[in-house]
Amino acid sequence: MKPMLWLMLGGLAVAPALAWADAQPSPSAPVPVPAPIAPIAPAGQGAPTEAQASNNFSFVRYRADYVVRPDAGNTQTEEYEILLKTKSAVEQFSQVRLGYSEKMETLEVLAAYTLTADGQRRDVPADRIYTQESYSSAAAAMYADRKVRVVVFPNLAPGTRLVYKTRRTQNTPYFPGYFGLWETFSVFTQYDDARVTLSAPATLPMFVQQRDVQGGDRPKIRDGQATWEWRYQRREPMQAQNWSAAAWEFSPTIMASTFRDWAQVASAYQLKGGEAARVTPGIQALADQLTVGITDRREQAAALYRWVSQNIRYVAVYLGNGGLEPNPAQSILDNHYGDCKDHVVILEALLAARGIQSSPVLIGAGGGPTLPAVPLLGRFNHAITYIPEFDLYLDSTSAYARFGQLPEGDLGAPVLLTRPAKVARTPENDASRNGNGLEVGFRFDAKGNLAGQTVLQPSEISEIGMRGSFARLNAQNRARVEESIVASSGFDGTGALTLLGDPQDLTRPFNYRYDFHASDYVDFGVVGGMPLPDAPGGESFRDIYTTTSAADNTTPFYCTDNLREETYRLQFPAGVPIVAIPRSQQFRNAAGEYALDWSREGQTIVARHRLHQRAVRGAQALCQPQDYPAFRELYQQVRRGFRGQVVYGDLGSVQAGP
């Protein structure tokens, strides 16, 4: 749950997020939006009408053929034939974006055309196939040298088949000797005919694993070549689910890698990145300057981290030799900007200048708690820092995280420490880091007007987001935000924000307060019932039940340990009779505990809500479909708890029913 102000400002991207479509180095089968099934009409016989279609599109045909060279370079040829069934699909596939590393790969579009419902072929004009910068590099800056080949398909309509064929040639492997294949077929998507082949020299090590596809992990050997072939078909996709982990966690998947284990990936990255963190005279001078007068080593590390976080602009831009090779620390210092790998390098160099060792960390930010058994570089999309001396992870790309804090996507993640070449985990995303609370007071006068104040009790995660939001506030948008907050709470009134700290000061905690006034909120001249009003300036967990609106959930899903606490204080004017308040309640099951405590002292009523959700199977495991009913039951208890009303007014003024 994030503060309402954060939501109104659109939030802040404080850490890179997944952007598989044109960011992962090992290409994967498309994983489009979930869609249920509809029958496929044979070519030339039309397609179901949009009103009849029960899914937006289907893969009529998919081919992916990988041919690997002895040096692990490879050529991948892909063919797609996609039936568009609805206007939504037309919009989704009006252009296809194909990402690649311009320094390490070539990408050719061999064919691109459409087939109308009556069988007419229309080729895509040459000027509608072009190259542009990858806007998603900012979201997955491990691969900041990426370009995008764009194919714009004209004259699309429901019933059209979209066909294109590409050839991707990896001229230089991301790491010497590394090849990775990762194909995932989402269970939410219809595949009529899919086939993947892999051919490699029989002498080249290849570690293969597949799930729920036809074909095996043992190749056919002929004339010194090892060949694998897999087939997949799914004509009845699964319905979209409320909660779902990443598709690769449970969908049919093929994985192959020339690396035997994750330590080999770590060592390969360290070989590339270690030299970049060399301490130059300029780096040494800066480290000495930033730590003048600081004798405590942890405080020295904090000062260096804050400088990098606030002075090295985070941009996804190619500067060096491409792929996964970071730029030298001195060049990053000279330019004052860099991607996530560059942030790690300059911080590593500054720390080393003060005798503090650190290690680059490869992480799949926001990617869940598990690693595949086959080591694939595509599992990672971000790089951060680890200091073993303090057992501390740092993400300096997050300009608003205090020393020791991590953005939510970095928490509870399996990571690869490249210097010691070992797998580890970042601190868990549990209640100690994501627990949030709020206190709100409402003071009513005899005319039904109210005045109040909301104060948050933010978690580390929320504090990072709030800092980013408030750092963008100015006099112009501040007034608009203040008005929007009170209006969105259903009040006719005004409000004012007060900052409790400086959002740019990473040495101290940060919070805010929201004071509000509203007129004619309640009529005390009649008998009525008042549910707890919304807390202006804070987001309640009262609507959490909407996340489990479906009766069941048939896929694994992410569930973390977290704690939410909310206190509401209602002060009624003297002379207004308080007839009744709801009973307190408690509920507990496998998914967690919910407690609601109601109390009254004179004309003041206090309601305290506390929801502690559990990671049912532990922090390192996914919740399973059979766990979903417990969450649904727990959240329904929260819904009932917030339905309670305070009954007020003179019962002598009402009529008895017949």
Side-chain angles (χ1 to χ4, degrees):
M1 300 297 173
K2 298 179 175 62
M4 188 176 297
L5 174 74
W6 189 7
L7 300 175
M8 289 177 174
L9 289 178
L12 180 72
V14 294
L18 292 174
W20 295 106
D22 56 2
Q24 64 174 354
S26 345
S28 175
V31 186
V33 292
I37 184 174
I40 299 297
Q45 296 185 18
T49 67
E50 186 160 356
Q52 295 170 329
S54 58
N55 62 346
N56 288 328
F57 65 90
S58 62
F59 288 97
V60 178
R61 186 172 183 272
Y62 172 68
R63 296 288 184 270
D65 300 305
Y66 296 82
V67 179
V68 186
R69 303 190 304 268
D71 68 347
N74 67 92
T75 299
Q76 176 191 354
T77 305
E78 286 187 318
E79 298 179 62
Y80 295 85
E81 183 176 342
I82 306 168
L83 175 62
L84 311 181
K85 303 180 184 180
T86 64
K87 292 179 180 178
S88 175
V90 168
E91 294 176 0
Q92 181 176 348
F93 288 97
S94 61
Q95 63 173 247
V96 172
R97 299 174 56 84
L98 308 164
Y100 66 100
S101 167
E102 68 170 340
K103 298 298 179 182
M104 310 184 84
E105 300 172 310
T106 59
L107 179 66
E108 306 166 81
V109 178
L110 304 178
Y113 58 91
T114 60
L115 295 172
T116 62
D118 59 3
Q120 297 182 48
R121 171 171 168 159
R122 295 173 178 171
D123 290 298
V124 175
D127 64 348
R128 296 291 84 194
I129 303 174
Y130 55 90
T131 302
Q132 65 178 207
E133 297 291 336
S134 170
Y135 58 69
S136 72
S137 289
M142 282 281 288
Y143 323 111
D145 66 326
R146 300 191 70 79
K147 298 287 187 180
V148 175
R149 194 76 168 147
V150 182
V151 182
V152 181
F153 289 89
N155 303 316
L156 297 181
T160 300
R161 293 174 187 243
L162 176 152
V163 182
Y164 64 97
K165 181 177 181 179
T166 64
R167 181 167 58 217
R168 180 191 306 268
T169 303
Q170 179 111 36
N171 303 306
T172 305
Y174 282 96
F175 297 137
Y178 172 78
F179 163 79
L181 178 156
W182 189 348
E183 297 273 351
T184 292
F185 301 94
S186 171
V187 296
F188 301 118
T189 303
Q190 179 176 336
Y191 293 89
D192 296 324
D193 179 16
R195 188 186 72 182
V196 177
T197 62
L198 168 62
S199 176
T203 55
L204 188 68
M206 191 69 70
F207 302 90
V208 176
Q209 185 179 69
Q210 82 285 322
R211 178 179 62 226
D212 298 336
V213 296
Q214 294 179 354
D217 55 7
R218 294 184 179 276
K220 295 179 180 178
I221 308 294
R222 182 176 180 180
D223 297 330
Q225 284 290 110
T227 303
W228 294 259
E229 181 174 342
W230 299 277
R231 294 181 180 273
Y232 177 71
Q233 184 181 69
R234 187 183 186 98
R235 290 186 175 273
E236 298 184 1
M238 185 180 294
Q239 295 289 330
Q241 303 296 297
N242 270 20
W243 278 357
S244 191
W248 70 267
E249 300 266 22
F250 56 87
S251 291
T253 294
I254 305 164
M255 295 180 177
S257 175
T258 54
F259 279 9
R260 65 185 178 276
D261 54 34
W262 289 105
Q264 196 172 356
V265 177
S267 297
Y269 181 89
Q270 186 65 30
L271 187 65
K272 277 178 169 281
E275 178 60 26
R278 186 171 63 88
V279 178
T280 64
I283 291 290
Q284 185 67 61
L286 177 61
D288 293 342
Q289 175 190 339
L290 294 173
T291 57
V292 167
I294 305 175
T295 56
D296 182 83
R297 290 171 61 79
R298 186 183 177 96
E299 288 304 313
Q300 289 181 351
L304 298 174
Y305 161 80
R306 285 192 293 268
W307 187 89
V308 173
S309 175
Q310 297 187 317
N311 291 275
I312 300 299
R313 186 160 48 94
Y314 174 51
V315 294
V317 60
Y318 165 71
L319 293 174
N321 293 325
L324 298 178
E325 186 169 342
N327 294 286
Q330 185 61 51
S331 71
I332 302 165
L333 177 58
D334 293 340
N335 291 310
H336 266 56
Y337 63 77
D339 66 11
C340 60
K341 304 184 300 294
D342 298 332
H343 266 253
V344 169
V345 161
I346 191 169
L347 181 55
E348 181 180 1
L350 288 168
L351 290 167
R354 300 305 305 163
I356 302 172
Q357 187 186 82
S358 66
S359 172
V361 177
L362 303 186
I363 180 174
T370 60
L371 285 179
V374 174
L376 288 166
L377 188 56
R379 179 62 180 86
F380 300 121
N381 65 353
H382 190 35
I384 61 175
T385 298
Y386 176 67
I387 304 180
E389 182 176 340
F390 312 125
D391 190 21
L392 193 64
Y393 290 88
L394 303 171
D395 187 346
S396 62
T397 67
S398 176
Y400 300 104
R402 286 193 285 149
F403 184 71
Q405 292 181 339
L406 287 175
E408 186 169 18
D410 290 352
L411 291 170
V415 296
L416 205 50
L417 306 183
T418 66
R419 184 180 292 275
K422 69 176 185 179
V423 173
R425 289 184 64 84
T426 57
E428 298 303 342
N429 184 13
D430 57 22
S432 67
R433 294 176 178 85
N434 66 29
N436 284 307
L438 65 83
E439 290 192 8
V440 57
F442 301 92
R443 301 181 304 279
F444 299 95
D445 65 21
K447 295 181 179 180
N449 305 314
L450 69 83
Q453 182 182 95
T454 301
V455 179
L456 303 185
Q457 294 136 6
S459 65
E460 294 180 6
I461 294 170
S462 295
E463 183 185 336
I464 295 170
M466 289 194 307
R467 286 179 184 273
S469 297
F470 279 102
R472 294 183 294 162
L473 272 185
N474 55 41
Q476 183 180 35
N477 61 26
R478 182 185 185 118
R480 178 181 59 82
V481 169
E482 290 175 337
E483 293 171 0
S484 298
I485 289 176
V486 71
S488 65
S489 299
F491 297 156
D492 179 13
T494 60
L497 290 164
T498 300
L499 305 192
L500 306 177
D502 180 354
Q504 306 281 4
D505 182 359
L506 298 186
T507 65
R508 300 177 184 277
F510 175 76
N511 197 1
Y512 71 88
R513 182 181 79 227
Y514 186 72
D515 295 277
F516 54 89
H517 298 80
S519 59
D520 196 25
Y521 182 81
V522 62
D523 183 358
F524 288 125
V526 298
V527 174
M530 180 189 296
L532 293 175
D534 283 338
E539 187 184 12
S540 172
F541 63 81
R542 65 178 66 202
D543 294 328
I544 196 171
Y545 69 90
T546 60
T547 62
T548 53
S549 57
D552 54 29
N553 202 82
T554 55
T555 62
F557 55 96
Y558 301 130
C559 56
T560 57
D561 177 85
N562 62 67
L563 178 65
R564 302 289 183 268
E565 296 181 286
E566 299 178 13
T567 298
Y568 296 78
R569 188 177 303 273
L570 286 70
Q571 185 175 332
F572 287 80
V576 172
I578 298 175
V579 178
I581 62 174
R583 293 181 182 274
S584 298
Q585 63 186 76
Q586 289 190 342
F587 177 81
R588 178 192 301 264
N589 68 4
E593 305 94 37
Y594 170 62
L596 169 57
D597 178 66
W598 284 91
S599 62
R600 175 187 175 188
E601 184 174 339
Q603 293 296 97
T604 300
I605 296 171
V606 178
R608 293 183 174 87
H609 296 258
R610 185 180 189 274
L611 173 64
H612 190 175
Q613 176 183 297
R614 304 290 185 181
V616 174
R617 297 173 182 269
Q620 301 183 27
L622 302 178
C623 279
Q624 298 300 313
Q626 58 267 35
D627 301 323
Y628 177 82
F631 287 94
R632 180 173 165 83
E633 185 181 18
L634 177 65
Y635 294 171
Q636 287 297 324
Q637 292 294 325
V638 174
R639 184 184 191 185
R640 296 187 185 103
F642 274 97
R643 282 175 172 169
Q645 299 187 20
V646 177
V647 181
Y648 58 84
D650 182 3
L651 293 179
S653 65
V654 300
Q655 300 183 47

